[in-house]
Amino acid sequence: MHHTIAFYNVENLYQSRNNRNSSILKLPFQGHRTWSFSRYKNKLAKIAKVISNIGKEETQKLPTFFGLCEIENKNVIDDLLEEFPFKANYGYIHKDSLDERGIDTAFFYDKEFFTVHDSEFIRIPIFNSDGSRDFTRDITYAKGNLESNPIHFFVLHLPSQRENNINLSKRIYILHALRKKINEVFDKDEKANIVILGDFNENPVTNYLYQELWCKKTIQELKTRELYNPFEELYRNNQYSTFHEGKGMLFDQIIFSKTFYDENNSLRFNQSKIFNIPVLQNKDRGKLGTPWRTYSGSRYLGGYSDHFPVYAIIEAIQ
Protein backbone atom coordinates (compact mmCIF):
# COMPACT_ATOMS: atom_id res chain seq x y z
CA MET A 1 0.00 0.00 0.00
CA HIS A 2 1.17 3.52 -0.78
CA HIS A 3 1.27 6.23 1.88
CA THR A 4 1.77 10.00 1.75
CA ILE A 5 4.16 11.84 4.06
CA ALA A 6 3.59 15.60 3.83
CA PHE A 7 5.02 18.73 5.39
CA TYR A 8 3.47 22.21 5.40
CA ASN A 9 4.65 25.52 6.82
CA VAL A 10 1.23 27.13 7.34
CA GLU A 11 2.43 30.74 7.91
CA ASN A 12 1.50 32.02 11.34
CA LEU A 13 -1.56 29.92 12.11
CA TYR A 14 -2.64 31.72 15.28
CA GLN A 15 -6.01 31.80 16.98
CA SER A 16 -8.06 34.94 16.62
CA ARG A 17 -8.26 37.42 19.48
CA ASN A 18 -11.99 36.84 19.90
CA ASN A 19 -11.81 33.05 19.80
CA ARG A 20 -13.45 31.95 23.04
CA ASN A 21 -10.54 29.59 23.80
CA SER A 22 -7.83 32.19 23.26
CA SER A 23 -5.34 32.91 25.98
CA ILE A 24 -2.65 35.56 25.88
CA LEU A 25 -1.53 35.53 22.26
CA LYS A 26 1.68 36.54 20.53
CA LEU A 27 0.04 37.73 17.34
CA PRO A 28 2.25 39.52 14.82
CA PHE A 29 -0.76 41.37 13.41
CA GLN A 30 -1.20 44.94 14.63
CA GLY A 31 -3.60 47.76 13.74
CA HIS A 32 -4.83 47.39 10.18
CA ARG A 33 -3.35 43.88 10.16
CA THR A 34 -6.08 42.70 12.54
CA TRP A 35 -6.52 38.94 12.73
CA SER A 36 -10.25 38.26 13.09
CA PHE A 37 -12.26 35.15 13.83
CA SER A 38 -13.62 35.05 10.28
CA ARG A 39 -10.11 35.26 8.84
CA TYR A 40 -8.97 32.54 11.22
CA LYS A 41 -11.82 30.24 10.16
CA ASN A 42 -11.16 30.99 6.50
CA LYS A 43 -7.53 30.02 6.88
CA LEU A 44 -8.38 26.84 8.79
CA ALA A 45 -10.76 25.72 6.04
CA LYS A 46 -8.17 26.46 3.35
CA ILE A 47 -5.34 24.63 5.12
CA ALA A 48 -7.53 21.61 5.88
CA LYS A 49 -8.65 21.36 2.26
CA VAL A 50 -5.06 21.53 1.04
CA ILE A 51 -3.81 18.83 3.39
CA SER A 52 -6.71 16.52 2.55
CA ASN A 53 -5.70 16.61 -1.12
CA ILE A 54 -1.93 16.14 -0.80
CA GLY A 55 -0.96 12.83 -2.39
CA LYS A 56 -4.56 11.91 -3.11
CA GLU A 57 -3.87 11.43 -6.81
CA GLU A 58 -1.13 8.91 -6.03
CA THR A 59 -2.71 7.05 -3.08
CA GLN A 60 -6.48 7.71 -3.40
CA LYS A 61 -6.62 8.60 0.29
CA LEU A 62 -5.73 11.27 2.81
CA PRO A 63 -2.09 11.63 3.86
CA THR A 64 -1.07 8.95 6.33
CA PHE A 65 1.40 11.36 7.92
CA PHE A 66 1.96 15.08 7.88
CA GLY A 67 4.04 17.57 9.81
CA LEU A 68 3.14 21.21 10.34
CA CYS A 69 5.06 24.24 11.51
CA GLU A 70 4.04 27.76 12.49
CA ILE A 71 1.03 26.60 14.49
CA GLU A 72 0.28 28.34 17.76
CA ASN A 73 -1.12 25.72 20.12
CA LYS A 74 -3.31 22.68 20.75
CA ASN A 75 -6.52 24.69 20.25
CA VAL A 76 -5.48 25.55 16.71
CA ILE A 77 -4.71 21.89 16.00
CA ASP A 78 -8.08 20.74 17.34
CA ASP A 79 -9.87 23.42 15.30
CA LEU A 80 -7.96 22.36 12.19
CA LEU A 81 -8.83 18.69 12.57
CA GLU A 82 -12.50 19.59 12.96
CA GLU A 83 -12.33 21.01 9.44
CA PHE A 84 -11.20 17.73 7.89
CA PRO A 85 -13.62 15.95 5.58
CA PHE A 86 -15.28 12.90 7.06
CA LYS A 87 -13.71 13.71 10.46
CA ALA A 88 -10.53 11.85 9.54
CA ASN A 89 -9.17 9.73 12.38
CA TYR A 90 -5.93 11.60 12.98
CA GLY A 91 -3.86 11.52 16.10
CA TYR A 92 -1.17 14.10 16.72
CA ILE A 93 1.92 14.80 18.78
CA HIS A 94 2.48 18.37 19.91
CA LYS A 95 3.82 20.40 22.82
CA ASP A 96 4.09 24.14 23.30
CA SER A 97 7.68 25.23 22.71
CA LEU A 98 9.54 28.23 24.10
CA ASP A 99 9.73 29.88 20.68
CA GLU A 100 9.71 33.67 20.89
CA ARG A 101 6.94 33.92 18.27
CA GLY A 102 4.81 31.33 20.04
CA ILE A 103 4.83 28.89 17.13
CA ASP A 104 5.45 25.14 17.20
CA THR A 105 5.89 22.00 15.14
CA ALA A 106 3.49 19.05 15.26
CA PHE A 107 3.26 15.56 13.80
CA PHE A 108 -0.01 14.01 12.60
CA TYR A 109 -0.77 10.38 11.78
CA ASP A 110 -3.71 8.32 10.58
CA LYS A 111 -4.62 5.94 13.41
CA GLU A 112 -5.85 3.36 10.92
CA PHE A 113 -2.32 2.75 9.66
CA PHE A 114 0.07 3.96 12.34
CA THR A 115 0.45 3.08 16.02
CA VAL A 116 2.61 5.35 18.21
CA HIS A 117 5.02 3.63 20.61
CA ASP A 118 7.10 6.57 21.76
CA SER A 119 7.37 10.34 21.35
CA GLU A 120 9.63 13.14 22.53
CA PHE A 121 9.99 16.90 22.23
CA ILE A 122 13.65 17.62 21.63
CA ARG A 123 14.51 21.01 23.08
CA ILE A 124 18.01 22.09 22.06
CA PRO A 125 19.35 25.14 23.95
CA ILE A 126 20.84 27.76 21.63
CA PHE A 127 22.48 31.09 22.39
CA ASN A 128 23.08 34.46 20.75
CA SER A 129 26.56 35.82 20.11
CA ASP A 130 26.37 37.85 23.34
CA GLY A 131 25.71 34.68 25.36
CA SER A 132 22.02 35.31 25.94
CA ARG A 133 19.58 32.43 25.49
CA ASP A 134 17.59 32.26 22.26
CA PHE A 135 14.35 30.35 21.95
CA THR A 136 13.23 28.39 18.93
CA ARG A 137 10.95 25.50 18.05
CA ASP A 138 11.30 22.03 19.54
CA ILE A 139 11.92 19.06 17.26
CA THR A 140 8.92 16.73 17.46
CA TYR A 141 9.87 13.04 17.48
CA ALA A 142 7.59 10.05 17.01
CA LYS A 143 8.26 6.33 16.82
CA GLY A 144 5.70 3.74 15.84
CA ASN A 145 4.59 1.04 13.45
CA LEU A 146 3.27 1.52 9.95
CA GLU A 147 1.54 -1.71 8.99
CA SER A 148 3.84 -3.57 11.45
CA ASN A 149 6.96 -1.78 10.13
CA PRO A 150 8.88 0.32 12.70
CA ILE A 151 9.48 3.90 11.58
CA HIS A 152 10.88 7.05 13.22
CA PHE A 153 9.88 10.65 12.42
CA PHE A 154 11.58 13.95 13.28
CA VAL A 155 9.69 17.20 12.52
CA LEU A 156 11.68 20.44 12.66
CA HIS A 157 11.58 24.14 11.87
CA LEU A 158 15.07 25.60 11.98
CA PRO A 159 15.83 29.28 12.80
CA SER A 160 15.26 31.69 9.92
CA GLN A 161 17.69 33.48 7.61
CA ARG A 162 16.79 36.96 8.87
CA GLU A 163 19.27 39.78 9.54
CA ASN A 164 22.20 38.74 7.37
CA ASN A 165 21.78 35.10 8.29
CA ILE A 166 22.79 35.54 11.94
CA ASN A 167 21.09 32.21 12.72
CA LEU A 168 23.38 30.11 10.56
CA SER A 169 25.45 28.79 13.48
CA LYS A 170 22.24 27.98 15.36
CA ARG A 171 20.91 25.88 12.50
CA ILE A 172 24.19 23.99 12.31
CA TYR A 173 24.20 23.41 16.06
CA ILE A 174 20.62 22.08 16.04
CA LEU A 175 21.33 19.73 13.13
CA HIS A 176 24.45 18.48 14.92
CA ALA A 177 22.35 17.71 18.00
CA LEU A 178 19.68 16.07 15.84
CA ARG A 179 22.30 13.81 14.26
CA LYS A 180 23.28 12.64 17.76
CA LYS A 181 19.63 11.65 18.35
CA ILE A 182 19.60 9.82 15.03
CA ASN A 183 22.76 7.96 16.01
CA GLU A 184 21.02 6.86 19.21
CA VAL A 185 18.27 5.34 17.07
CA PHE A 186 20.81 3.59 14.86
CA ASP A 187 22.70 2.30 17.92
CA LYS A 188 19.60 0.27 18.74
CA ASP A 189 18.79 -0.69 15.16
CA GLU A 190 21.20 -0.08 12.27
CA LYS A 191 18.38 -0.82 9.83
CA ALA A 192 16.04 1.77 11.34
CA ASN A 193 13.59 3.54 9.03
CA ILE A 194 14.06 7.26 9.69
CA VAL A 195 12.28 10.26 8.16
CA ILE A 196 13.16 13.92 8.80
CA LEU A 197 10.64 16.47 7.60
CA GLY A 198 10.55 20.19 8.06
CA ASP A 199 11.46 23.72 7.13
CA PHE A 200 15.27 23.76 7.14
CA ASN A 201 15.54 27.45 6.16
CA GLU A 202 18.23 26.27 3.74
CA ASN A 203 18.15 24.79 0.27
CA PRO A 204 18.91 21.05 0.00
CA VAL A 205 22.27 21.62 -1.74
CA THR A 206 23.74 23.46 1.27
CA ASN A 207 26.99 21.80 2.33
CA TYR A 208 26.36 21.70 6.05
CA LEU A 209 23.12 19.74 5.53
CA TYR A 210 25.20 16.97 3.99
CA GLN A 211 27.85 17.20 6.68
CA GLU A 212 25.72 17.42 9.80
CA LEU A 213 23.06 14.90 8.76
CA TRP A 214 25.40 12.49 6.93
CA CYS A 215 23.54 12.89 3.64
CA LYS A 216 24.87 11.59 0.34
CA LYS A 217 24.35 13.18 -3.07
CA THR A 218 23.43 9.92 -4.79
CA ILE A 219 21.57 6.80 -3.70
CA GLN A 220 24.44 4.64 -4.94
CA GLU A 221 26.80 6.21 -2.37
CA LEU A 222 24.61 5.39 0.62
CA LYS A 223 26.02 3.35 3.45
CA THR A 224 24.55 2.19 6.75
CA ARG A 225 23.38 5.11 8.95
CA GLU A 226 23.48 7.58 6.07
CA LEU A 227 20.58 9.63 4.68
CA TYR A 228 19.36 10.78 1.28
CA ASN A 229 17.47 13.96 0.41
CA PRO A 230 15.30 13.47 -2.71
CA PHE A 231 14.44 17.18 -2.71
CA GLU A 232 17.90 18.04 -3.99
CA GLU A 233 16.92 16.79 -7.43
CA LEU A 234 13.74 18.89 -7.36
CA TYR A 235 15.73 21.98 -6.41
CA ARG A 236 18.25 21.41 -9.21
CA ASN A 237 15.26 21.25 -11.56
CA ASN A 238 14.12 24.70 -10.39
CA GLN A 239 11.24 23.55 -8.25
CA TYR A 240 10.62 25.64 -5.14
CA SER A 241 8.40 25.72 -2.06
CA THR A 242 8.81 29.40 -1.15
CA PHE A 243 10.13 32.66 -2.59
CA HIS A 244 11.88 35.75 -1.27
CA GLU A 245 12.28 38.89 -3.36
CA GLY A 246 11.57 36.88 -6.48
CA LYS A 247 14.13 34.18 -5.72
CA GLY A 248 12.90 30.59 -5.49
CA MET A 249 13.92 28.43 -2.53
CA LEU A 250 13.24 24.89 -1.45
CA PHE A 251 13.49 25.16 2.34
CA ASP A 252 10.81 22.51 2.93
CA GLN A 253 12.21 19.00 2.60
CA ILE A 254 11.73 15.36 3.57
CA ILE A 255 14.87 13.27 4.12
CA PHE A 256 15.07 9.45 4.32
CA SER A 257 17.42 6.88 5.76
CA LYS A 258 19.21 4.44 3.47
CA THR A 259 16.73 1.69 4.30
CA PHE A 260 14.02 3.28 2.14
CA TYR A 261 16.21 2.63 -0.90
CA ASP A 262 17.07 -0.99 -0.11
CA GLU A 263 15.35 -3.49 -2.38
CA ASN A 264 14.74 -5.96 0.43
CA ASN A 265 13.26 -3.40 2.84
CA SER A 266 9.53 -3.53 3.55
CA LEU A 267 9.22 0.28 3.39
CA ARG A 268 10.39 1.87 0.16
CA PHE A 269 10.64 5.41 -1.15
CA ASN A 270 8.57 6.00 -4.28
CA GLN A 271 8.64 9.69 -5.21
CA SER A 272 8.78 13.25 -3.86
CA LYS A 273 6.91 16.35 -5.04
CA ILE A 274 5.95 19.93 -4.29
CA PHE A 275 2.19 20.41 -3.96
CA ASN A 276 1.78 23.65 -5.89
CA ILE A 277 -1.57 23.23 -7.60
CA PRO A 278 -2.99 26.42 -9.23
CA VAL A 279 -5.40 27.28 -6.39
CA LEU A 280 -2.41 27.74 -4.05
CA GLN A 281 -0.63 30.12 -6.38
CA ASN A 282 -0.62 33.92 -6.40
CA LYS A 283 -2.68 35.35 -9.27
CA ASP A 284 -1.02 38.78 -9.24
CA ARG A 285 0.89 39.67 -12.38
CA GLY A 286 4.59 39.39 -11.68
CA LYS A 287 4.07 36.87 -8.89
CA LEU A 288 2.61 34.02 -10.88
CA GLY A 289 3.79 30.63 -9.63
CA THR A 290 4.53 31.86 -6.10
CA PRO A 291 2.46 30.85 -3.04
CA TRP A 292 -0.76 32.76 -2.37
CA ARG A 293 0.06 33.88 1.14
CA THR A 294 -2.15 35.09 3.97
CA TYR A 295 -0.37 38.42 4.41
CA SER A 296 2.06 40.43 2.32
CA GLY A 297 3.66 42.97 4.60
CA SER A 298 0.72 44.80 6.18
CA ARG A 299 -1.78 43.77 3.51
CA TYR A 300 -4.20 40.90 4.10
CA LEU A 301 -4.38 38.73 0.98
CA GLY A 302 -6.60 35.94 2.27
CA GLY A 303 -4.47 33.16 0.83
CA TYR A 304 -3.14 29.91 2.20
CA SER A 305 0.52 30.28 3.18
CA ASP A 306 3.82 31.72 2.01
CA HIS A 307 5.03 28.14 1.47
CA PHE A 308 3.80 25.33 -0.75
CA PRO A 309 3.45 21.94 0.97
CA VAL A 310 5.91 19.22 0.04
CA TYR A 311 5.32 15.49 0.14
CA ALA A 312 6.73 12.06 -0.55
CA ILE A 313 5.09 8.74 -1.35
CA ILE A 314 6.36 5.58 0.28
CA GLU A 315 5.21 2.02 -0.23
CA ALA A 316 4.68 -0.59 2.46
CA ILE A 317 5.49 -4.01 0.97
CA GLN A 318 3.60 -6.92 2.46
Side-chain angles (χ1 to χ4, degrees):
M1 179 180 289
H2 289 84
H3 299 275
T4 301
I5 303 172
F7 176 79
Y8 199 4
N9 179 328
V10 291
E11 189 199 349
N12 294 323
L13 184 51
Y14 293 91
Q15 290 178 268
S16 67
R17 287 185 175 88
N18 59 342
N19 185 300
R20 65 180 182 275
N21 294 319
S22 285
S23 55
I24 299 173
L25 304 182
K26 308 173 185 66
L27 293 171
F29 316 118
Q30 303 293 332
H32 56 292
R33 298 184 69 193
T34 300
W35 187 235
S36 66
F37 183 70
S38 62
R39 290 179 176 182
Y40 171 65
K41 290 293 291 182
N42 178 56
K43 177 149 182 164
L44 284 176
K46 279 182 162 67
I47 296 299
K49 185 175 181 180
V50 173
I51 295 171
S52 66
N53 282 288
I54 298 174
K56 197 169 186 178
E57 181 178 337
E58 293 86 354
T59 67
Q60 287 73 57
K61 59 185 175 67
L62 295 167
T64 304
F65 308 101
F66 61 94
L68 298 182
C69 75
E70 297 206 9
I71 50 173
E72 185 193 7
N73 55 28
K74 181 181 183 296
N75 293 330
V76 168
I77 292 173
D78 290 337
D79 288 347
L80 178 65
L81 291 180
E82 282 295 312
E83 296 285 340
F84 264 95
F86 316 119
K87 304 297 181 185
N89 192 24
Y90 281 109
Y92 65 86
I93 297 170
H94 163 267
K95 181 181 179 180
D96 285 332
S97 70
L98 299 178
D99 179 74
E100 59 190 15
R101 287 168 55 199
I103 55 173
D104 308 319
T105 62
F107 175 72
F108 298 75
Y109 57 93
D110 189 329
K111 295 179 182 178
E112 180 181 351
F113 302 106
F114 186 72
T115 304
V116 175
H117 296 312
D118 191 17
S119 64
E120 183 182 356
F121 303 94
I122 304 170
R123 183 164 294 171
I124 301 169
I126 57 174
F127 298 89
N128 298 308
S129 57
D130 62 3
S132 61
R133 176 77 183 271
D134 193 9
F135 298 97
T136 189
R137 286 72 63 173
D138 297 342
I139 298 174
T140 301
Y141 166 75
K143 173 188 176 182
N145 274 21
L146 171 62
E147 299 184 29
S148 77
N149 300 296
I151 186 170
H152 305 257
F153 292 92
F154 294 89
V155 184
L156 56 79
H157 182 194
L158 295 183
S160 72
Q161 290 204 8
R162 61 184 175 85
E163 299 175 21
N164 297 318
N165 212 4
I166 61 171
N167 289 327
L168 173 60
S169 62
K170 299 172 186 177
R171 291 195 296 276
I172 293 174
Y173 183 81
I174 292 171
L175 289 177
H176 188 78
L178 171 59
R179 182 64 223 197
K180 289 183 178 179
K181 292 288 184 180
I182 292 171
N183 286 341
E184 291 175 7
V185 173
F186 279 129
D187 286 343
K188 297 176 182 178
D189 178 9
E190 287 216 325
K191 295 184 178 181
N193 299 302
I194 295 176
V195 183
I196 308 168
L197 55 158
D199 180 346
F200 289 79
N201 266 297
E202 283 286 11
N203 291 311
V205 294
T206 304
N207 283 334
Y208 73 77
L209 290 184
Y210 296 114
Q211 296 165 356
E212 297 299 337
L213 292 178
W214 302 13
C215 288
K216 291 297 183 182
K217 294 188 178 183
T218 66
I219 296 170
Q220 292 73 24
E221 294 178 81
L222 285 171
K223 298 178 182 178
T224 302
R225 293 186 174 228
E226 293 179 337
L227 311 176
Y228 181 72
N229 187 348
F231 284 81
E232 178 184 344
E233 182 178 356
L234 296 180
Y235 179 72
R236 292 189 185 281
N237 287 321
N238 303 315
Q239 297 188 48
Y240 310 116
S241 62
T242 190
F243 293 76
H244 180 66
E245 297 181 348
K247 182 180 179 180
M249 299 168 290
L250 185 45
F251 287 175
D252 309 280
Q253 303 157 41
I254 306 174
I255 299 174
F256 294 88
S257 60
K258 176 183 182 297
T259 51
F260 285 91
Y261 301 92
D262 291 343
E263 292 184 0
N264 58 351
N265 194 44
S266 54
L267 294 178
R268 298 181 194 171
F269 172 84
N270 182 273
Q271 59 182 306
S272 58
K273 290 186 177 181
I274 299 165
F275 194 68
N276 56 359
I277 58 175
V279 71
L280 299 181
Q281 298 182 22
N282 198 315
K283 305 300 188 296
D284 289 349
R285 185 176 298 177
K287 294 185 178 180
L288 295 176
T290 66
W292 180 20
R293 55 191 301 166
T294 306
Y295 276 92
S296 177
S298 62
R299 186 161 60 102
Y300 176 70
L301 302 180
Y304 294 76
S305 172
D306 55 354
H307 289 242
F308 292 129
V310 299
Y311 68 106
I313 306 297
I314 63 170
E315 185 177 5
I317 310 297
Q318 299 294 330

